[in-house]
Amino acid sequence: FAYAFSDKKYPGVPEIDLNIIDDRPFFVGDLQFQPVQVYHFRLPVLGFRVGNFAYITDANVIPEEEYAKLQGLEVVVLNALRREKHPSHFTLEEAIKIGERIGARQTWFTHISHQLGLHEEVEQELPPGMHLAFDGLKLEVML
């Protein structure tokens, strides 16, 4: 969509106000967002912490120095694509280990492939406090 960012606009091109973010916290209204640098294969991408909630998906690496930003969480959402190794996503085993390391009261796995297995069966294998997300899931988080 390079035309949307071109200096020369023509009728019908979307008007976009870019807000560049980096690793520093920023606010949206009254909510403070803390970016968490992660990797999707070799591509640096951001997860976010808001209060005691963090959302990290489309990742396969969390750099060591970023774990400090994830301490004291009530809820974390992580991707767990499948059981087999993937170049740009956590496996279920990797996501469980990361969830245990973060130590949130609740860990929810999302970005799940059909290759992971049946929801009911996989859910039974998970440690206490860890769950597979599902369509229509709503989490209530007190920020």
Side-chain angles (χ1 to χ4, degrees):
F1 300 104
Y3 62 87
F5 302 97
S6 174
D7 290 335
K8 295 183 179 182
K9 301 286 187 193
Y10 59 87
V13 172
E15 290 291 327
I16 300 171
D17 290 327
L18 294 177
N19 293 298
I20 307 297
I21 59 174
D22 53 26
D23 63 343
R24 293 175 293 192
F26 62 92
F27 284 86
V28 175
D30 293 337
L31 292 178
Q32 181 178 358
F33 285 73
Q34 170 63 64
V36 179
Q37 177 70 65
V38 298
Y39 285 88
H40 181 73
F41 188 50
R42 293 187 187 122
L43 180 67
V45 297
L46 296 174
F48 295 97
R49 178 182 182 146
V50 181
N52 58 16
F53 171 80
Y55 185 84
I56 299 171
T57 188
D58 263 355
N60 70 312
V61 173
I62 300 176
E64 192 63 36
E65 62 275 11
E66 295 298 291
Y67 279 96
K69 297 176 184 176
L70 300 171
Q71 296 308 300
L73 293 174
E74 284 290 314
V75 179
V76 63
V77 177
L78 299 168
N79 64 282
L81 186 67
R82 61 188 193 190
R83 295 175 191 276
E84 296 80 25
K85 191 76 175 150
H86 190 275
S88 57
H89 298 282
F90 295 128
T91 64
L92 179 61
E93 182 180 350
E94 291 166 338
I96 289 171
K97 287 180 183 176
I98 290 166
E100 289 173 340
R101 179 171 179 186
I102 291 170
R105 191 172 60 77
Q106 294 180 53
T107 300
W108 290 88
F109 300 121
T110 191
H111 204 308
I112 300 166
S113 165
H114 68 282
Q115 296 169 331
L116 187 58
L118 297 175
H119 193 279
E120 285 182 18
E121 294 173 8
V122 176
E123 183 76 20
Q124 296 302 312
E125 301 172 25
L126 298 176
M130 295 189 179
H131 304 280
L132 295 182
F134 51 88
D135 290 348
L137 173 66
K138 294 181 183 181
L139 297 175
E140 188 170 320
V141 180
M142 301 302 292
L143 302 173

